[in-house]
Amino acid sequence: TEEIAYNGIDDDCNPMTLDDDLDQDGFVLTHDCDDTNPDINPGTEEIAYNGIDDDCNPMTLDDDLDQDGFVLADDCNDNDPDTNPGAEEITYNGIDDDCNPMTLDDDLDQDGFILADDCDDTDAFINPLAEEIPNNGIDEDCDGNDLVTATKTLSSLIVNIYPNPASDHVNINGVESLKFKAQLYSITGELIVDNIQTTYISIKELTNGTYLLKLTNTETLEYITEKLIVAK
């Protein structure tokens, strides 16, 4: 007679013919969810993401370990329930919260500068490499100051003196057609710079403080003055 498995009877009168625990893993069918595979039984450690109930315990998670409703195939971090395709991206936290690399986490204005280096990450025209626009109240180049231009009239010409405050140099525009002299004085009246026909004055060597810039038309002796702040 052919042995009929799991009936508790030695049908073929051969005690060597298995009637239960056919995979010989030490667990009878009552406790073994797959009696044809010795690697599947209640004593086995569950192997995540293999699609098999290795330990015969349906409560042991095989996938979606963080129980956020998304299996590993769709979840970029199956250890964090707050990270999944259904989550809202939280900017500047360095985490791909919504599992979509196309959703921006930093450099939201896509100007090539992350928030740590960009003083306005919502405007691509404001970043450390942007050109500063004078007198508009905006710090385009993220140096901490808006470029302020002083406007004066010398011999009927509009003269622009900038930047002010300044840290490295001062530009003088609008006097190119004149014969003029540029002089820079300390607040105590000491002459520090005395140049002819220069539109660029270096102030690298000056200390922080208030100075007086004097521009003189050397033909008519008409002059203008401008208070200059040196701030480094």
Side-chain angles (χ1 to χ4, degrees), residues 154-172:
L154 177 62
S155 300
S156 300
L157 296 176
I158 302 299
V159 180
N160 292 318
I161 303 168
Y162 67 94
N164 190 10
S167 60
D168 180 79
H169 67 277
V170 177
N171 297 302
I172 305 169

Side-chain angles (χ1 to χ4, degrees), residues 127-194:
N127 61 67
L129 290 183
E131 182 177 354
E132 187 70 23
I133 301 173
N135 305 316
N136 66 350
I138 300 172
D139 179 18
E140 281 92 2
D141 62 1
C142 296
D143 68 349
N145 297 291
D146 177 38
L147 181 62
V148 178
T149 301
T151 302
K152 300 279 186 175
T153 301
L154 177 62
S155 300
S156 300
L157 296 176
I158 302 299
V159 180
N160 292 318
I161 303 168
Y162 67 94
N164 190 10
S167 60
D168 180 79
H169 67 277
V170 177
N171 297 302
I172 305 169
N173 289 345
V175 292
E176 291 80 6
S177 63
L178 293 180
K179 291 183 178 180
F180 73 96
K181 178 168 57 175
Q183 296 171 302
L184 187 64
Y185 294 87
S186 71
I187 197 66
T188 59
E190 177 187 358
L191 180 62
I192 301 172
V193 174
D194 189 6

Side-chain angles (χ1 to χ4, degrees), residues 14-232:
N14 182 355
M16 299 301 293
T17 304
L18 298 175
D19 181 67
D20 204 339
D21 189 17
L22 304 189
D23 58 9
Q24 292 288 274
D25 59 5
F27 294 89
V28 296
L29 182 64
T30 304
H31 305 298
D32 197 337
C33 54
D34 187 344
D35 201 29
T36 64
N37 188 337
D39 295 322
I40 298 177
N41 59 67
T44 299
E45 183 177 357
E46 185 70 24
I47 301 173
Y49 309 117
N50 67 353
I52 300 172
D53 183 11
D54 305 276
D55 65 357
C56 294
N57 183 355
M59 299 301 294
T60 305
L61 299 173
D62 181 69
D63 206 335
D64 189 16
L65 305 190
D66 57 10
Q67 292 286 273
D68 59 6
F70 293 89
V71 296
L72 182 65
D74 302 317
D75 196 337
C76 55
N77 187 347
D78 202 29
N79 294 311
D80 186 350
D82 295 323
T83 302
N84 60 66
E88 182 177 356
E89 186 70 24
I90 301 172
T91 54
Y92 309 119
N93 66 354
I95 300 172
D96 183 12
D97 304 278
D98 65 356
C99 295
N100 182 356
M102 299 302 294
T103 305
L104 297 175
D105 182 69
D106 206 336
D107 188 18
L108 304 190
D109 58 9
Q110 292 289 272
D111 60 4
F113 293 89
I114 60 175
L115 182 64
D117 303 316
D118 196 338
C119 54
D120 187 343
D121 201 29
T122 64
D123 190 332
F125 295 103
I126 298 177
N127 61 67
L129 290 183
E131 182 177 354
E132 187 70 23
I133 301 173
N135 305 316
N136 66 350
I138 300 172
D139 179 18
E140 281 92 2
D141 62 1
C142 296
D143 68 349
N145 297 291
D146 177 38
L147 181 62
V148 178
T149 301
T151 302
K152 300 279 186 175
T153 301
L154 177 62
S155 300
S156 300
L157 296 176
I158 302 299
V159 180
N160 292 318
I161 303 168
Y162 67 94
N164 190 10
S167 60
D168 180 79
H169 67 277
V170 177
N171 297 302
I172 305 169
N173 289 345
V175 292
E176 291 80 6
S177 63
L178 293 180
K179 291 183 178 180
F180 73 96
K181 178 168 57 175
Q183 296 171 302
L184 187 64
Y185 294 87
S186 71
I187 197 66
T188 59
E190 177 187 358
L191 180 62
I192 301 172
V193 174
D194 189 6
N195 291 331
I196 297 176
Q197 299 299 124
T198 183
T199 58
Y200 180 99
I201 300 177
S202 174
I203 57 172
K204 291 181 179 179
E205 304 302 322
L206 299 185
T207 58
N208 290 350
T210 302
Y211 297 81
L212 186 69
L213 177 63
K214 180 179 180 182
L215 301 179
T216 303
N217 183 332
T218 57
E219 293 182 320
T220 66
L221 299 183
E222 181 183 359
Y223 68 89
I224 59 174
T225 59
E226 172 67 19
K227 183 171 67 174
L228 176 66
I229 304 299
V230 175
K232 301 179 182 181

